[in-house]
Amino acid sequence: MPAMMIMWVVALVLAVAATTHALQKKLAHGTGPEPDGVFWDAFAGLVVIVPAILVPTLAWPPAGLFLLLLAAATAGGTILGERRFERVHAAQPHRRPGFADAAARHQEVLARWRRYELDPGQAILFPAMSDVANPRTAALLRAMREAENCRLTAGTDYAAAVGRLEQALADAEHAAGVPAEILSSQART
C-alpha cells in the first residue's frame, strides 16, 4: 500500500506541475489564449490528476485531503517558481534598456578594429594597432575585455563601457598615426 501511495503522489505532483505550467504559459504569455489549446491542456492534466486523487481516497479517505492540499501546494509552487524564473530571466543582460544600441555600437567598433588585425595592408601600414607593447593598444584591449564583460553581466553599464572602448580605439588609431581620411572612410562603411 505505501508503494502505491508513493506512485499516486508522484503522478499527482508531476501532473499538477505540468498542467499548471502549460496553462500558465498559454494564459499569461501567449498572444491570446486559444480556447482549444487551453481546454486540451486542462483536460490532459485532469485525466491524470483526478484519478491520482480519487483512487487513493477510495482506499483510505484521509488521503483525499492530503492529496488535495498537495495538489494546491504544487500548483502554487509551480506558479511562484515560474514568476521567480521570469524575474531572473528579465534581469539578463540582453534585456537591459539601451542594450541593443550599445551592442550595435560595440559591433561597429570591433569591425573597425578587425580591419587592422585581419587586413594585411592595414597591418603593414599601422603595426602599432597590433602591438600590445604600445600603451594605447594595451588600453584598447583592456577596454575590449571590459565591454565584453559588461555585455555579459547584468547590473553593469554596458553603454558606458562601449563608449570607453570607442575612445580607446580612437586613441590607439591616433597614436598609430592613422590618417583622418582612413578614419572617415571606415566610419562610412
Side-chain angles (χ1 to χ4, degrees), residues 118-144:
L118 301 177
D119 182 353
Q122 296 287 341
I124 291 169
L125 289 173
F126 309 107
M129 291 300 295
S130 298
D131 183 9
V132 294
N134 181 331
R136 302 290 176 138
T137 305
L140 171 62
L141 295 176
R142 284 191 300 274
M144 283 181 180

Side-chain angles (χ1 to χ4, degrees), residues 82-125:
E82 287 187 8
R83 287 185 183 160
R84 182 168 185 254
F85 175 80
E86 288 171 4
R87 280 194 309 271
V88 168
H89 187 66
Q92 289 179 344
H94 67 277
R95 299 189 182 276
R96 291 180 283 181
F99 184 87
D101 293 335
R105 288 181 23 232
H106 189 185
Q107 290 307 312
E108 289 171 11
V109 172
L110 292 177
R112 198 166 107 201
W113 171 77
R114 276 188 214 110
R115 290 186 183 128
Y116 299 109
E117 291 293 316
L118 301 177
D119 182 353
Q122 296 287 341
I124 291 169
L125 289 173

Side-chain angles (χ1 to χ4, degrees), residues 145-157:
R145 193 173 322 119
E146 177 195 11
E148 185 63 23
N149 286 338
C150 288
R151 184 180 71 82
L152 298 173
T153 307
T156 58
D157 193 350

